[in-house]
Amino acid sequence: MYHPRPTLLCLLLLGLLTTAFATACDDDDDFAPASDALELVAEIEGVQITGITVTDEGRVFGTFPRWREGVPYTLAEIVDGQPVPYPSTEMNNWDIGDAPTDKLVNVQSAIAVGDTLYVDDTRNPLMNGLITAPRIHLIDLRTNSLLRTYDLPDGTTYPETYVNDLRVDRTRQLVYFTDSGRGGLMVLDLTTGNSWRVLDGHPSVQAEFDTLVIDGDPFMMETPSDGIALDSTGDRLLYHALSGYTLYSVPLDALADSSATDVGSEVTTVATTPAPDGLWRVPGATLMADLENQSVVRVTDGGNVTTLVEGEGVGWADTFTEYDGYLYFTNSRIPESDSTVAGMLYPIWRLPLR
């Protein structure tokens, strides 16, 4: 079991943070550190950001879930350091209590793959339960127009489902999701539009505890399957409960078989880790947060944990993406954010990968 360190390296939010990174190498090789600055990409004031993705052309998109009333947009492009509602202000023009129209209700995650932005609209504002079936929107990044929308119906989802992270398997034309409301994985076939649920009720998708300890203080958080990462080389999906210390994997072929009845037998334990939110895969290792120690770590498949950067500015490292040799991530400041976030600053960081 991973045990949090008793002390933290406290750094100023806007100061330079010491980082350590290494070129991905063989699983059990020593990790060679390098000192670089953690760079501030943008700060979002008064609107809580969780998800981030960067396109092949360097466009940055963020997601802003409606966990409270008055969130002005739930999907935005970061332009000159400022969020611009995407794909339009009109599509983001929805608030708690409005009728569930075709507008974006509660976007948790989005990921850019090629010329397409895959957008997860949980349709579960305030995390109080679904108001309609969750929707997956595909947006053409060249024209900024909607290509197609998929619904995740009953059976794939439950009333308490909260569609959290997603990854796109271009080879199989499948999208994989975690359910952070009930616990489980979901699969969408982009060709047929069919979807199915796997590992429902399996121990690997359940929370292991109900309280994190952050900077010595307890923080109630009992969240099952949350972060996922696609390991294309190993043909597997890695996944992790937020409230847990275990990283699991399952073969992509097992997920692709909608008729499979015993996917649980294919699950393997990858490593014991800190408690994370999102995940990002590099050769031989997984990058993730150590939420209890306000840091980002590298965990090899052999279970070797190395701290890359830490401090108050890192905070609740939520979602990761990679572009042009940098790891981008958000600090969603979840333990600090209650119903009112006016005046709070939510940073987007980038960290050199080398």
Side-chain angles (χ1 to χ4, degrees):
M1 182 66 68
Y2 176 85
H3 296 287
R5 296 184 300 278
T7 60
L8 297 174
L9 176 60
C10 297
L11 301 174
L12 294 175
L13 179 60
L14 297 179
L16 295 178
L17 303 181
T18 301
T19 69
F21 233 103
T23 303
C25 52
D26 188 69
D27 189 273
D28 291 323
D29 283 353
D30 289 337
F31 178 67
S35 294
D36 287 291
L38 185 65
E39 300 177 20
L40 186 66
V41 175
E43 281 185 310
I44 313 301
E45 182 175 356
V47 189
Q48 186 178 20
I49 186 171
T50 57
I52 186 171
T53 189
V54 183
T55 73
D56 292 343
E57 287 72 39
R59 297 170 66 185
V60 180
F61 293 88
T63 64
F64 306 80
R66 286 191 166 105
W67 291 341
R68 56 189 60 85
E69 294 184 358
V71 177
Y73 44 80
T74 188
L75 176 66
E77 182 173 5
I78 311 303
V79 180
D80 296 328
Q82 297 300 317
V84 177
Y86 189 84
S88 66
T89 299
E90 177 62 22
M91 194 165 179
N92 279 269
N93 188 19
W94 190 91
D95 203 358
I96 308 301
D98 291 351
T101 63
D102 289 338
K103 295 178 181 179
L104 295 173
V105 170
N106 182 57
V107 175
Q108 174 67 31
S109 301
I111 185 167
V113 180
D115 293 322
T116 304
L117 186 67
Y118 296 79
V119 179
D120 151 30
D121 186 351
T122 70
R123 312 292 278 190
N124 186 345
L126 304 180
M127 296 187 183
N128 282 341
L130 296 178
I131 59 174
T132 69
R135 289 185 168 180
I136 311 306
H137 300 289
L138 274 57
I139 299 175
D140 189 331
L141 290 165
R142 297 164 297 185
T143 63
N144 302 316
S145 59
L146 186 65
L147 291 170
R148 184 171 178 180
T149 297
Y150 301 84
D151 286 346
L152 300 180
D154 291 346
T156 301
T157 60
Y158 289 87
E160 66 271 29
T161 288
Y162 192 86
V163 183
N164 200 310
D165 215 346
L166 73 151
R167 289 293 181 265
V168 179
D169 182 347
R170 300 179 79 175
T171 300
R172 297 170 178 79
Q173 283 295 289
L174 299 175
V175 185
Y176 311 110
F177 310 90
T178 50
D179 182 346
S180 293
R182 180 184 173 95
L185 301 182
M186 298 163 287
V187 184
L188 169 66
D189 187 323
L190 293 170
T191 303
T192 66
N194 295 332
S195 61
W196 53 96
R197 188 177 186 90
V198 296
L199 299 178
D200 193 38
H202 192 269
S204 67
V205 297
Q206 302 304 313
E208 298 176 12
F209 47 81
D210 63 5
T211 305
L212 300 172
V213 179
I214 300 175
D215 201 15
D217 297 321
F219 179 66
M220 296 292 294
M221 178 66 76
E222 187 175 5
T223 303
S225 47
D226 193 296
I228 54 175
L230 188 65
D231 181 1
S232 299
T233 302
D235 273 339
R236 58 181 180 164
L237 187 75
L238 289 83
Y239 60 97
H240 205 301
L242 187 153
S243 304
Y245 296 133
T246 313
L247 178 64
Y248 296 96
S249 74
V250 63
L252 297 180
D253 283 345
L255 297 178
D257 183 359
S258 61
S259 63
T261 58
D262 192 21
V263 177
S265 66
E266 303 278 354
V267 171
T268 59
T269 298
V270 178
T272 298
T273 76
D277 198 318
L279 309 176
W280 190 257
R281 187 69 186 171
V282 294
T286 306
L287 310 181
M288 63 180 69
D290 177 349
L291 296 175
E292 293 182 299
N293 289 293
Q294 298 179 319
S295 62
V296 175
V297 300
R298 177 182 183 268
V299 183
T300 69
D301 289 348
N304 192 20
V305 180
T306 303
T307 299
L308 309 179
V309 64
E310 61 183 344
E312 291 179 329
V314 174
W316 190 286
D318 196 302
T319 304
F320 301 89
T321 193
E322 185 179 343
Y323 171 71
D324 195 28
Y326 287 87
L327 180 74
Y328 287 67
F329 65 93
T330 61
N331 175 3
S332 64
R333 301 182 66 181
I334 285 177
E336 308 164 64
S337 303
D338 53 22
S339 59
T340 301
V341 298
M344 291 186 66
L345 296 175
Y346 293 91
I348 301 172
W349 299 108
R350 72 174 190 174
L351 183 69
L353 283 167
R354 61 172 180 238

